[in-house]
Amino acid sequence: MTSTPTAPHPADLGTLVVLPWSGAAPDGTDMPYLLAYSLGDAPGGPDTTAAAVEHLLVSNGLPVGGDLVDGTYRPSLPISLLVEAGQAVVRMPRLIAQAPAPPEWLAAVRARGYAYLVFTTRAWPEGAPGTVVSPAALAAFAGAQETLNAAAHVVLPATRLR
């Protein structure tokens, strides 16, 4: 899914993508994950994109490469997750990203009440919208230390429209 940010230099972010998936957690149940990344297609290339994404995250109180931010204990966190009509919608100042969510992800987020967001500054051009991403390719990118160390990690409570 792509979004249209209204950051001071939106072109520097490139194309942003949010990808929902679920997988087994240590407790034996499914965990709903969200991976957010840029394709690195900003005019200045992946380095410009990484700096712009990092600025977006840090300016919203989300440390890159730092501790897990637990939004269930921080209601004033400027990032939220809306789950409605089979969609995952991530909102933060200057950014709204929406992605269709698979049924197993929706079931996992319903059961847990939250999703685990990994918002990385590392570009992934192979994960372009409309392309089929194999589970192995997703695991290789999302699980790479380079990706995880360059990311903000956030537990986002799921909300619904009333």
Side-chain angles (χ1 to χ4, degrees):
M1 153 45 248
T2 60
S3 65
T4 307
T6 57
H9 303 286
D12 289 346
L13 293 169
T15 304
L16 293 175
V17 179
V18 173
L19 182 64
W21 88 97
S22 61
D27 67 5
T29 63
D30 274 355
M31 173 68 76
Y33 294 99
L34 289 167
L35 176 64
Y37 56 92
S38 174
L39 298 181
D41 57 354
D47 290 337
T48 297
T49 297
V53 171
E54 183 169 6
H55 176 76
L56 175 71
L57 294 170
V58 171
S59 68
N60 283 290
L62 304 173
V64 172
D67 294 331
L68 174 70
V69 175
D70 189 343
T72 62
Y73 294 105
R74 292 184 51 194
S76 63
L77 193 64
I79 183 168
S80 64
L81 170 63
L82 173 68
V83 179
E84 193 65 38
Q87 302 285 310
V89 182
V90 176
R91 295 175 156 200
M92 60 192 309
R94 302 183 307 248
L95 174 72
I96 297 174
Q98 180 174 331
E104 60 275 8
W105 186 90
L106 293 167
V109 82
R110 228 179 353 265
R112 289 189 179 265
Y114 60 85
Y116 188 114
L117 170 69
V118 176
F119 198 145
T120 188
T121 65
R122 184 177 179 212
W124 192 30
E126 296 82 8
T131 61
V132 175
V133 177
S134 73
L138 174 60
F141 180 78
Q145 278 307 124
E146 185 180 356
T147 300
L148 297 172
N149 291 341
H153 298 261
V154 187
V155 173
L156 283 177
T159 59
R160 300 185 74 75
L161 293 176
R162 294 181 185 199

